[in-house]
Amino acid sequence: MKLLVVDDSNIIRSRIARATLQANLTNLEIVGLARNGDEAVDICLRRKPDLVTMDLTMPGMNGIECIDALLRVAPDLRILVVSALSDKATAIEALKRGAHGYLHKPFTDARLAEALVELMDGLEERHVRYDRR
Amino acid sequence: MAVRSMRTSYFGKYREIVWAVALFLLFDLAVLVLNFYISFQISSDALAINMAGRQRMLSQRMTKELLTAAVDNNQGIVKLSSLNDLRKTAMLFDGTLTAFERGGTIPGGDGSPVYLDGLKTDAGRALLRDARQLWQPLKDAIAPLMTGDIFDPAALSVAVRIARESNTKLLVLMNELTTQLEGVARDKADRLRTVQTVGIMLALLNFAFILFKFIARLRATDRKVEAAQQETAEILATVKEGLFLLDSSFRFGSQYSASLARILGMEITPGSDFRELLRQMVHPDMYPSTVDYINLLFGDRVKESLVMELNPLTAIEVMVPRADGSSARRFLTLQFNRASQVGRIANLLVTVTDVTEQVLLQRELAAEKKKSKTELTVLLDLLKVEPAALTHFLTNTEWTLIEINEQLRSVKGEERDYRFLIGSVFRKIHAIKGDAAALGLRPFEDLAHEFETLLARMRDKGSVSGDDLIAVPLPLDELFERVAIVRDLSIRLAGYHDAFSPRPGSEGVVDDLIDLAQRIATERGKEVQLSTDLKMLDELPSPVQASVKSVIVQLLRNAIAHGIEAAGERVQLEKSPVGGIYIALKRDEAGEYELHLRDDGRGLIPRRIKESLIESGRYNAEQLAEYDDKQIIMKIFDPGFSTAAVADRDAGHGVGMDVVKQKLHDLGARLRIVTRENRYTQFVVRFAV
């Protein structure tokens, strides 16, 4: 299982990566750390992740636009929104667009690991389908 | 996988009934097949009986036709038609007999061809052999009559003879054949009846078994369903949370907990639209997102546990109607959980919880945190402020706040009075703000500024009513509280000052008291002369010292406001125009301290106090008649007590005496009051350290 982390904050990207490694999740490998939406789409096409953690407030392409872009190239991608946004309406909109779950910042390592495990549930039985752009 | 196992278990549950029904159908099928088979055989037997009967008839007809031909021959007549009839009869008889022997198709009763089975029973075959033996000679004798166009009278004579000899025997044999065939058919009919009876009996037994099993199972299921329904009803009746099911078209389910109506403050109708309630509960801006959130839960894409945090219906503030028509502010949380049926999300279980207490506690906690933070800020500020200046600020501020409080209590109900009050309070708060800013006491400055802003809004309004003043006590209380916090902190800090800085002398306190006395006196157009002996204050521990100072400030303020008369009045009473106040702290031989505060004012007059008490509505004359003068005087310590002179808007009477009472209680002190009308009042406070 391959994970892509999308967040404009270096601290959060490192935090998620570290927490994921420390949680020792079987079959979960981090295949990319993206700083913005464009990088995320690029890594997604090259490394073909199964899971994505997605920040909502990013410069340039925002999280919701990024979700749209990623799902266009990988319709079966599972996306976990990780945001500190107090505006629930935006987060709900992200779910409507195709995200699968939401994790509020700040989070504990255990909570992140739980969320990733929950997100991976049932994913082993299939491969994420990628469409050519 | 789950579905298949469920089906397997379903089959397992009804296995007995399925087997019984299968057996029932098998019995029915077997009876039907046997029925068909035997019926077919009976039909075949009926044909055989019919044909055997025809043989009987044919044997007689043949004899009759031979005899007729013989009679005609004797009369010299040859009837070819008769011979033709004989030929047909003989051929039919022979063909039928052959069919009985080997089976074959023959003309039936109506001339159409029918198939006749060969007889298989031994007795039948024996009869046919006998019949063949009798028939063969007759057949041979008739044969010449049947072939050729030439009529042979000799052959007819032979045939007639043989017919006469075998006619009766043949008739008997055919008769026996008919009887035997009837017996066979009867046996088969009996067998069919038996098979039918047994089959139907078995089927009925089976049916009874099915019925019994089915009813027993239904009853067991009914009992379980009833028990489950009872349990559900009990749960729904007792659970504290509001519970109900919501379907994908946002309709309320038919069952819900008894608490739901209480929590929502309204009855819900099963089948009604939940969105109607939702519209009343959430802000219009949030309504679409809330509906989206619920719709997401009806889908299976998002993970339920990963969207809980986004629930917009968490601790939402609602006005819940009460039975008396009023409404109460409550905080509710509606939690949504998927309820799946056979792998499909059919409903959401909605749990409605009244979280008002938690929310209020959280807010209280947040307020406490803020307060602690404020305390810390104050503490840091206090460290920078010179203790004497701080004491002076606190005393003045407290005094000012008490004054404002009194003004609020005594204001008259006209707009002019309200405007005057607002202006006066504004000036006082502004002064506090300025003092706080000068000392660097930011939390005071901030609070005073907020208060000032509120007052400025009132002042700038077109008209002012009593309702506008309702908002004033809140910031006033906050300032009071802030003063209390700072006083408490300053007492605690006193220890540090004691340790790290030169101990403040009683001189500083005396200076503050002189300033305070002068300010109060000036505001009231009075003159006072303060003389003190408070050196002993230096001996007291800081907390005791603070309490004593507080008592002195309050008593001093009362003495000036109420005790000391205006200069003109004093002159009329042949007193010095300058009021005298003496404050002293002494220690006796037993080590106890005595605080004296004496003024040469009008004294405490029980009669006037009594009048005030009656006017305030707290007591009636009869009640007060039971009190002596001493008890009446002690009423000045009642919280909120004010004397008749309250009409003076700038002077709150009786203010602070309840504070004195509290402080005396804290000190464990005893109080003695000595007074004489128009002469003096002396308070003596005695306490030990």
Side-chain angles (χ1 to χ4, degrees):
Chain A
M1 212 70 58
K2 294 185 280 188
L3 172 69
L4 165 64
V5 180
V6 187
D7 204 303
D8 63 334
S9 158
N10 182 36
I11 296 168
I12 296 292
R13 287 198 305 277
S14 310
R15 170 82 199 286
I16 293 176
R18 184 175 48 77
T20 308
L21 290 172
Q22 285 179 353
N24 203 19
L25 298 170
T26 324
N27 295 335
L28 189 66
E29 174 202 1
I30 297 170
V31 294
L33 302 171
R35 287 173 298 181
N36 54 50
D38 293 326
E39 276 189 15
V41 174
D42 183 48
I43 296 173
C44 194
L45 284 167
R46 285 190 291 109
R47 306 298 309 273
K48 304 195 181 328
D50 302 290
L51 310 174
V52 172
T53 68
M54 173 67 65
D55 185 19
L56 284 184
T57 45
M58 291 187 295
M61 193 190 293
N62 66 31
I64 289 179
E65 289 164 343
C66 189
I67 288 170
D68 285 343
L70 290 180
L71 289 175
R72 267 199 297 277
V73 296
D76 301 333
L77 206 58
R78 291 204 177 176
I79 300 171
L80 177 70
V81 172
V82 182
S83 174
L85 213 60
S86 57
D87 172 18
K88 288 183 177 178
T90 306
I92 291 171
E93 180 62 25
L95 293 171
K96 261 181 82 183
R97 297 292 185 96
H100 294 72
Y102 176 85
L103 182 65
H104 191 74
K105 288 181 197 169
F107 50 82
T108 62
D109 289 1
R111 184 77 190 97
L112 174 71
E114 274 173 25
L116 289 173
V117 168
E118 180 82 8
L119 207 64
M120 283 193 285
D121 180 36
L123 200 62
E124 293 86 349
E125 294 166 15
R126 62 185 178 81
H127 292 289
V128 172
R129 179 164 52 87
Y130 279 83
D131 290 347
R132 283 180 163 277
R133 277 204 302 186
Chain B
M1 198 69 168
V3 174
R4 196 168 62 190
S5 70
M6 185 172 281
R7 280 180 186 158
T8 312
S9 71
Y10 250 74
F11 183 74
K13 191 175 167 187
Y14 296 111
R15 190 167 48 205
E16 285 178 345
I17 289 171
V18 170
W19 278 117
V21 170
L23 214 56
F24 177 75
L25 291 174
L26 194 68
F27 283 145
D28 284 351
L29 191 67
V31 168
L32 193 69
V33 168
L34 274 171
N35 219 351
F36 263 106
Y37 176 69
I38 295 172
S39 300
F40 181 75
Q41 287 216 325
I42 287 172
S43 165
S44 176
D45 288 345
L47 176 70
I49 291 164
N50 195 16
M51 291 302 105
R54 192 174 71 178
Q55 288 294 77
R56 202 167 48 187
M57 180 273 288
L58 289 175
S59 69
Q60 296 311 297
R61 186 196 284 176
M62 238 175 342
T63 306
K64 182 186 160 198
E65 283 167 352
L66 279 169
L67 288 171
T68 306
V71 170
D72 289 344
N73 187 42
N74 287 342
Q75 291 173 359
I77 306 166
V78 174
K79 285 185 181 171
L80 286 173
S81 60
S82 298
L83 288 174
N84 272 338
D85 290 343
L86 175 65
R87 243 191 323 266
K88 281 180 191 169
T89 306
M91 280 175 71
L92 192 57
F93 185 86
D94 186 61
T96 305
L97 189 63
T98 305
F100 270 127
E101 286 167 343
R102 297 196 294 267
T105 303
I106 53 168
D110 56 358
S112 57
V114 291
Y115 183 81
L116 193 63
D117 281 328
L119 269 184
K120 291 184 179 65
T121 59
D122 292 342
R125 295 198 73 80
L127 276 172
L128 288 176
R129 266 196 308 276
D130 292 347
R132 175 60 69 183
Q133 278 175 6
L134 280 171
W135 165 244
Q136 195 58 44
L138 183 58
K139 181 185 170 187
D140 293 342
I142 293 172
L145 298 173
M146 295 170 68
T147 55
D149 299 325
I150 302 162
F151 174 67
D152 182 0
L156 178 63
S157 300
V158 173
V160 169
R161 182 180 50 80
I162 295 172
R164 277 185 176 152
E165 285 171 8
S166 59
N167 170 38
T168 310
K169 288 177 187 169
L170 208 53
L171 178 66
V172 170
L173 278 175
M174 289 302 107
N175 207 26
E176 281 180 16
L177 180 63
T178 307
T179 308
Q180 198 185 69
L181 285 171
E182 281 174 351
V184 169
R186 202 164 39 246
D187 287 349
K188 284 181 179 172
D190 287 347
R191 210 156 50 238
L192 178 63
R193 260 197 302 280
T194 308
V195 166
Q196 280 180 335
T197 307
V198 170
I200 287 169
M201 286 303 290
L202 283 172
L204 284 174
L205 277 172
N206 213 328
F207 184 73
F209 173 77
I210 293 169
L211 207 63
F212 174 76
K213 274 284 177 190
F214 214 78
I215 288 172
R217 196 174 290 280
L218 271 178
R219 288 178 64 181
T221 310
D222 284 352
R223 275 198 298 274
K224 278 184 190 168
V225 169
E226 277 171 21
Q229 280 176 343
Q230 182 65 27
E231 282 172 17
T232 308
E234 280 176 20
I235 290 168
L236 290 177
T238 50
V239 71
K240 280 195 293 183
E241 291 82 10
L243 296 177
F244 66 90
L245 283 175
L246 187 69
D247 69 16
S248 56
S249 54
F250 286 77
R251 302 276 164 190
F252 282 103
S254 59
Q255 292 197 321
Y256 49 87
S257 67
S259 302
L260 185 62
R262 179 182 53 77
I263 295 173
L264 295 177
M266 58 184 284
E267 288 291 340
I268 64 156
T269 313
S272 62
D273 198 332
F274 172 64
R275 283 168 293 200
E276 295 298 320
L277 178 67
L278 207 55
R279 279 197 188 88
Q280 297 169 27
M281 292 176 115
V282 299
H283 191 273
D285 291 348
M286 205 54 208
Y287 175 78
S289 292
T290 308
V291 172
D292 285 343
Y293 174 79
I294 297 169
N295 272 326
L296 281 168
L297 288 173
F298 276 116
D300 58 0
R301 181 169 50 78
V302 299
K303 304 283 180 184
E304 184 180 321
S305 62
L306 292 182
V307 295
M308 289 291 187
E309 287 177 294
L310 287 180
N311 183 1
L313 299 175
T314 304
I316 46 165
E317 187 174 345
V318 292
M319 295 307 290
V320 174
R322 286 192 289 213
D324 60 2
S326 64
S327 55
R329 188 179 68 141
R330 310 297 295 171
F331 293 89
L332 304 182
T333 290
L334 278 74
Q335 190 186 321
F336 298 85
N337 292 97
R338 286 168 172 159
S340 299
Q341 280 178 6
V342 201
R344 191 176 64 87
I345 301 159
N347 292 296
L348 294 181
L349 172 66
V350 186
T351 310
V352 187
T353 321
D354 188 334
V355 292
T356 308
E357 276 185 30
Q358 288 106 297
V359 170
L360 295 181
L361 274 174
Q362 277 170 358
R363 288 188 177 182
E364 213 171 290
L365 197 65
E368 280 299 318
K369 275 186 184 168
K370 189 181 169 193
K371 189 178 158 190
S372 301
K373 197 178 165 191
T374 306
E375 279 188 17
L376 186 66
T377 313
V378 170
L379 195 64
L380 293 171
D381 287 346
L382 292 185
L383 289 170
K384 295 180 279 184
V385 180
E386 202 273 314
L390 178 65
T391 307
H392 184 71
F393 170 78
L394 290 176
T395 308
N396 276 339
T397 302
E398 193 168 34
W399 163 240
T400 308
L401 295 175
I402 289 167
E403 277 186 323
I404 293 171
N405 198 35
E406 275 307 302
Q407 281 181 276
L408 282 169
R409 279 161 51 170
S410 59
V411 69
K412 286 179 179 171
E414 287 177 28
E415 187 174 353
R416 189 172 53 87
D417 299 314
Y418 296 144
R419 285 203 168 279
F420 184 87
L421 173 72
I422 290 168
S424 165
V425 174
F426 186 90
R427 283 190 298 279
K428 285 171 179 161
I429 294 299
H430 188 73
I432 291 175
K433 183 178 154 185
D435 290 349
L439 290 173
L441 295 169
R442 280 170 297 163
F444 269 106
E445 196 184 345
D446 294 344
L447 266 186
H449 180 72
E450 285 171 24
F451 199 172
E452 201 181 69
T453 310
L454 174 79
L455 292 165
R457 273 203 302 272
M458 290 183 194
R459 187 189 57 193
D460 299 340
K461 268 182 67 176
S463 64
V464 182
S465 70
D467 288 346
D468 293 320
L469 298 180
I470 290 170
V472 176
L474 185 67
L476 196 65
D477 281 349
E478 285 179 0
L479 273 170
F480 264 123
E481 197 181 341
R482 189 64 51 87
V483 170
I485 291 170
V486 173
R487 203 183 280 289
D488 183 49
L489 285 171
S490 67
I491 290 165
R492 282 192 263 164
L493 275 176
Y496 290 96
H497 282 296
D498 288 348
F500 295 107
S501 58
R503 189 179 176 84
S506 57
E507 291 86 359
V509 178
V510 172
D511 289 345
D512 287 340
L513 290 175
I514 291 169
D515 287 349
L516 181 65
Q518 288 306 332
R519 188 172 69 83
I520 300 168
T522 308
E523 283 178 4
R524 280 153 190 76
K526 297 177 183 178
E527 288 179 57
V528 289
Q529 175 71 48
L530 191 66
S531 50
T532 60
D533 181 4
L534 292 170
K535 290 189 185 66
M536 281 289 175
L537 267 178
D538 296 340
E539 290 184 6
L540 297 176
S542 292
V544 177
Q545 195 185 74
S547 291
V548 171
K549 279 194 274 185
S550 188
V551 169
I552 293 171
V553 167
Q554 296 302 336
L555 290 179
L556 175 64
R557 177 254 162 201
N558 266 282
I560 302 167
H562 311 303
I564 303 295
E565 309 89 337
E569 192 183 339
R570 288 182 66 88
V571 171
Q572 282 180 359
L573 290 167
E574 297 179 344
K575 292 180 178 177
S576 159
V578 180
I581 298 174
Y582 170 71
I583 310 173
L585 181 67
K586 293 171 183 172
R587 191 173 61 188
D588 66 11
E589 290 169 355
E592 285 202 339
Y593 291 88
E594 255 188 16
L595 172 69
H596 293 258
L597 193 144
R598 180 188 172 103
D599 69 75
D600 63 351
R602 57 171 65 94
L604 285 167
I605 308 160
R607 174 175 38 82
R608 292 182 63 179
I609 295 171
K610 225 182 229 182
E611 283 166 8
S612 298
L613 289 170
I614 293 167
E615 277 176 25
S616 71
R618 288 162 179 255
Y619 298 90
N620 58 39
E622 285 159 12
Q623 286 171 317
L624 293 177
E626 292 173 12
Y627 295 111
D628 59 22
D629 285 353
K630 201 173 166 186
Q631 287 171 312
I632 293 288
I633 287 171
M634 292 311 284
K635 290 284 169 203
I636 64 170
F637 293 100
D638 280 5
F641 170 78
S642 58
T643 66
V646 148
D648 174 6
R649 78 172 77 242
D650 288 326
H653 288 196
V655 173
M657 293 309 273
D658 48 348
V659 177
V660 172
K661 189 178 173 185
Q662 181 60 45
K663 294 290 177 192
L664 294 182
H665 180 264
D666 294 346
L667 285 168
R670 299 186 302 279
L671 173 71
R672 187 156 50 89
I673 302 170
V674 189
T675 185
R676 189 175 162 200
E677 189 171 347
N678 293 330
R679 290 296 163 202
Y680 63 88
T681 303
Q682 181 169 356
F683 292 86
V684 182
V685 176
R686 197 174 167 82
F687 62 95
V689 174

